[in-house]
Amino acid sequence: RPLSYPAPSMSKTLVIAEKPSVGQDLARVLPGPFEKHSGAGEKTARWLEGPEHVITWAVGHLVQLAEPDEYDDKFKKWRMADLPIVPRTFKLVVRDERSEKQMKVVRDQLRREDVDIVVNACDAGREGELIFTYIYEYVKAKKPVQRLWLNSMTAASMRSALGSLHPASEFELLEQAARSRSEADWIVGMNATRAATIRLRSSFDGAVSLGRVQTPTL
C-alpha cells in the first residue's frame, strides 16, 4: 500500500530494528495485531503498525560517511597536494538508491506526530549502535530514545528485554567507540588509498585500496 498513515489517535512507540527478520520477531511478542505496510507498487513489507507500536528496520547500514568530494569539488581529482583530508565535521549520506527507499520509510516514521518515544532495537553491539546513531542524526530527530539490548531472540528473552529498556545515555561510550572506529576507517582509507594510487599510477591500473584493517591483515 502507498506511504500513508492513520490520523493520530494515541501516542505510539517507534521500534527501529537492524533487519526485517528482527522486526517481525518483535511484532510477535508486542501487543498486536500488526498490519504490514509497503511502498507504492511494492510487495515487500517496510514497516509494521500495531495499536501501540510502529516497527521498522534499517536493513544494515542505511547511512554512511560522505565521500571526500561531498566536502569540496576539488577532491574529485586525486592530488597529493590535497592530502591529508580530515573533515572538521563528518557528513552523513544515504548509502545508495536501494537504501533510500527504506530510509524514507524510517524518516517518515521518526517524524510522525503520534510517535513520542523511539526504541533502538538494532543489534546489541558497537555496529548496531552506529547504525541507529547515523540514522537518528541524519534525520535530525529529537525524540527521546531508549535502548533494547537483546542477547537472545527467544520469545521469553525478547519479552524480558522489552520490559527493561535502558536509557540511551547508558550506551554513550559504546556509541563513541563506534563513531571513532568509523571515522578512523574513513581517514586512513580515504587518504592512504589516494596516496598509494597517486604514487603507483605508473605500475598499476585503477585504485590501490588501503585500509585501517584490511592492509595490516593482508
Side-chain angles (χ1 to χ4, degrees):
R1 63 184 63 207
L3 296 174
S4 59
Y5 312 109
S9 52
M10 58 176 289
S11 61
K12 293 190 175 185
T13 297
L14 172 62
V15 180
I16 300 178
E18 189 166 322
K19 53 185 82 74
S21 60
V22 176
Q24 290 157 6
D25 286 342
L26 290 169
R28 296 189 184 100
V29 298
L30 287 168
F34 280 86
E35 185 177 356
K36 294 181 180 180
H37 294 263
S38 58
E42 294 184 332
K43 294 182 179 179
T44 303
R46 293 197 176 273
W47 84 93
L48 307 173
E49 181 102 21
E52 300 174 26
H53 298 82
V54 180
I55 304 174
T56 190
W57 38 82
V59 196
H61 285 273
L62 293 180
V63 178
Q64 64 182 13
L65 297 179
E67 296 285 321
D69 58 16
E70 295 277 349
Y71 297 89
D72 194 316
D73 282 343
K74 73 179 182 180
F75 295 137
K76 289 180 179 178
K77 292 184 177 181
W78 291 22
R79 293 176 296 212
M80 196 69 79
D82 292 329
L83 302 180
I85 304 167
V86 183
R88 282 183 171 273
T89 304
F90 283 87
K91 295 181 180 180
L92 297 172
V93 295
V94 177
R95 191 179 187 91
D96 49 35
E97 187 176 338
R98 177 175 170 271
S99 299
E100 182 60 56
K101 291 182 179 180
Q102 187 63 20
M103 188 64 221
K104 183 182 187 312
V105 171
V106 176
R107 180 170 54 236
D108 288 349
Q109 306 307 316
L110 277 166
R111 291 176 177 173
R112 282 175 56 157
E113 292 183 4
D114 59 339
V115 166
D116 59 358
I117 296 176
V118 181
V119 174
N120 172 7
C122 291
D123 291 358
R126 188 176 66 178
E127 212 59 24
E129 202 67 22
L130 188 69
I131 287 170
F132 177 86
T133 297
Y134 277 178
I135 289 171
Y136 192 81
E137 286 188 3
Y138 181 79
V139 176
K140 295 182 171 61
K142 301 295 184 185
K143 293 174 180 178
V145 177
Q146 293 183 311
R147 184 60 156 111
L148 176 68
W149 196 259
L150 276 174
N151 291 312
S152 170
M153 295 305 296
T154 64
S157 295
M158 287 190 286
R159 289 192 183 97
S160 175
L162 287 163
S164 56
L165 295 171
H166 301 266
S169 58
E170 286 186 16
F171 298 87
E172 186 175 345
L173 292 179
L174 186 64
E175 177 195 319
Q176 291 174 7
R179 191 189 301 272
S180 297
R181 192 277 308 158
S182 177
E183 293 176 0
D185 282 351
W186 192 100
I187 291 170
V188 174
M190 292 298 176
N191 288 288
T193 294
R194 287 179 179 231
T197 300
I198 293 166
R199 282 290 170 86
L200 298 171
R201 274 176 177 162
S202 61
S203 304
F204 293 93
D205 291 328
V208 179
S209 179
L210 299 184
R212 184 184 65 87
V213 175
Q214 74 172 33
T215 299
T217 301
L218 291 172

